[in-house]
Amino acid sequence: MSHIYKAHAKINLGLDVIRRREDGYHEVKMIMQTLSLHDVVTIEETSERGIVVTSNSGSIPCDEHNLAYKAAKLLMDEFSVDKGVRINIEKNIPVAAGMAGGSTDAAATMKGINDIFNLGLSEEELMKRSVKIGADVPYCIMEGTALSEGIGEVLTRLNCPPECKVLIAKPPIDVSTKFVYENLHANSLTCHPDIDGMVDSIRNGDLKGICDRMENVLETVTVKEYPIIEEIKSSMKNNGAVNSLMSGSGPTVFGIFDDEEKADKAYKELKEKYKTSQIHLTELYNREV
């Protein structure tokens, strides 16, 4: 019997790096938001021991380097599961895009292994274990809107922002997260996003207040290296986006639209203008809690 899970993409509505710690980690303050755009993770129990990963995408590993594989192995080893699983990942989220594609597949896999083998772990217990797989995985298990602090592991659930359309554009470039953080000079940043103000705007259901505060300090590195990011941001704003921002360390750009017609028109314009980019029109996703 197959168990099917939606693994939702994420964007950062705001991303601040407070400082670089002595241990090399960066202390962050971010607003995380899941989108309706999702991968589909299908998990099937097999009688033979072992983990098999398949995918419709040639851009992700299908061996022990895949985060979904690592997630399954982590739980199956801990609970001495003597059966196997087959995991199929239908990729819709752009790969290496700053949208937590690998992390969200891992999160869905952990939920699946917990369900299939009746491990009885609560969401909190899954989140605690998942940090071993990657910093974004606990958030991907939780989903919705959240303030993320510390090195990304301290999560505070927030209200869902007002409904809006989200246009996604991932240009055909790969950005190294390591490179971005190494070149950030976090301790000498003079401007910081107003994350607290954004939290207040989210609580007040003020979409304009949220959009006015959209800022990502990592753009100071990535945009200099890849001018197309700023170009796509301008394109989105010129086509009616309330605001536009790079997600994570990039290169994906998203635009927030409060008007469906403008969003549809902008989607068509960008599809035509950026033929080699991956363009998606989606919306915010917040599950019922």
Side-chain angles (χ1 to χ4, degrees):
M1 182 184 155
S2 296
H3 295 248
I4 299 169
Y5 298 85
K6 289 180 179 179
H8 292 94
K10 72 89 188 156
I11 51 173
N12 302 93
L13 293 172
L15 193 161
D16 192 13
V17 178
I18 310 298
R19 66 187 179 99
R20 187 177 191 273
R21 305 191 322 185
E22 284 176 18
D23 61 8
Y25 284 100
H26 287 81
E27 201 170 296
V28 296
K29 197 168 183 180
M30 312 182 281
I31 304 290
M32 314 275 266
Q33 175 64 53
T34 38
L35 301 175
S36 291
L37 176 65
H38 61 274
D39 292 345
V40 179
V41 178
T42 305
I43 307 174
E44 209 175 329
E45 183 185 328
T46 57
S47 51
E48 277 183 40
R49 292 182 69 168
I51 300 161
V52 176
V53 179
T54 56
S55 178
N56 65 332
S57 168
S59 303
I60 64 168
C62 285
D63 55 15
E64 68 275 8
H65 299 292
N66 185 289
L67 294 187
Y69 183 106
K70 290 180 181 182
K73 189 174 188 317
L74 181 81
L75 290 183
M76 290 168 78
D77 283 357
E78 181 186 343
F79 289 90
S80 305
V81 174
D82 63 353
K83 291 187 175 174
V85 287
R86 188 178 291 110
I87 303 164
N88 182 66
I89 300 167
E90 183 192 312
K91 286 303 289 181
N92 298 304
I93 302 168
V95 176
M99 298 185 75
S103 296
T104 193
D105 294 341
T109 300
M110 289 189 85
K111 291 176 187 177
I113 299 298
N114 188 40
D115 291 345
I116 291 166
F117 298 111
N118 300 309
L119 304 183
L121 295 170
S122 67
E123 182 172 276
E124 197 181 329
E125 287 168 326
L126 283 176
M127 286 167 69
K128 213 173 279 181
R129 285 163 172 80
S130 73
V131 79
K132 294 173 190 164
I133 308 294
D136 278 345
V137 186
Y139 165 72
C140 291
I141 288 173
M142 187 174 100
E143 296 183 317
T145 314
L147 171 66
S148 168
E149 297 175 281
I151 58 170
E153 86 288 14
V154 181
L155 296 167
T156 307
R157 191 182 288 285
L158 300 170
N159 306 347
C160 179
E163 277 185 31
C164 56
K165 287 288 179 183
V166 184
L167 183 58
I168 302 291
K170 195 256 177 184
I173 51 175
D174 290 329
V175 173
S176 159
T177 301
K178 188 169 179 280
F179 169 84
V180 173
Y181 275 96
E182 278 174 358
N183 288 274
L184 181 63
H185 312 302
N187 295 345
S188 56
L189 285 171
T190 50
C191 288
H192 290 276
D194 180 13
I195 300 293
D196 292 337
M198 185 178 273
V199 170
D200 288 340
S201 295
I202 288 169
R203 287 189 176 129
N204 296 330
D206 175 8
L207 186 65
K208 186 177 183 303
I210 295 166
C211 291
D212 285 349
R213 291 169 176 82
M214 274 168 43
E215 202 177 331
N216 178 351
V217 295
L218 301 184
E219 285 188 353
T220 58
V221 178
T222 315
V223 169
K224 277 182 201 159
E225 288 291 316
Y226 305 101
I228 190 170
I229 291 169
E230 192 59 53
E231 192 191 307
I232 293 173
K233 283 176 66 181
S234 297
S235 243
M236 287 194 181
K237 287 188 265 197
N238 292 339
N239 278 284
V242 184
N243 206 348
S244 179
L245 195 70
M246 181 182 83
S247 186
S249 55
T252 298
V253 173
F254 68 91
I256 302 284
F257 289 80
D258 59 4
D259 181 301
E260 200 166 333
E261 275 182 37
K262 283 182 186 169
D264 288 335
K265 186 170 177 290
Y267 171 72
K268 286 170 189 153
E269 291 270 342
L270 267 77
K271 282 279 269 191
E272 184 58 37
K273 187 173 180 184
Y274 300 103
K275 287 188 167 70
T276 56
S277 296
Q278 295 176 63
I279 315 284
H280 298 272
L281 185 58
T282 183
E283 55 209 6
L284 306 185
Y285 170 79
N286 276 273
R287 61 174 200 175
E288 297 297 321
V289 180

